[in-house]
Amino acid sequence: MSLSIWHNPRCSKSRQTLELLREKGVEPEVRLYLKDAPDAAEIRAALTALGLTDPRALMRKGEALYRELDLASESDPDRLIAAMAANPVLIERPVVFNGTRAAIGRPPEDVLAIL
């Protein structure tokens, strides 16, 4: 099984999700996405793998930057994706990938469905 995780070690849900995977005997490839930000194409692929059509569903709408950039009033999906690529702090975390499927670890147990 080849899994990867967009991980933020400062986030408790991200740490819990990574620990849960390890408890299940899985050692995912860890991508520190705040330092190694996914580009727009990777974010589009993540949305597809998650089964999401609205980029906003992958965004951290409570972030101050979300308000500062006035993303709540943005209707262009490409601009929302570009905002996440330019500002990875806006991407919900953690995201676990298994082949063509993905899950957001909120709660951490949600990722078990793709193992």
Side-chain angles (χ1 to χ4, degrees), residues 84-106:
M84 285 187 276
N87 305 283
V89 70
L90 293 171
I91 301 171
E92 187 59 84
R93 61 185 177 249
V95 182
V96 176
F97 300 89
N98 185 3
T100 60
R101 299 180 340 159
I104 298 173
R106 291 193 168 269

Side-chain angles (χ1 to χ4, degrees), residues 55-62 66 71 80 83-84 90-92:
R56 198 170 271 110
L58 184 58
M59 298 184 89
R60 296 180 56 81
K61 295 175 280 303
Y66 183 86
L71 295 173
L80 293 170
M84 285 187 276
L90 293 171
I91 301 171
E92 187 59 84

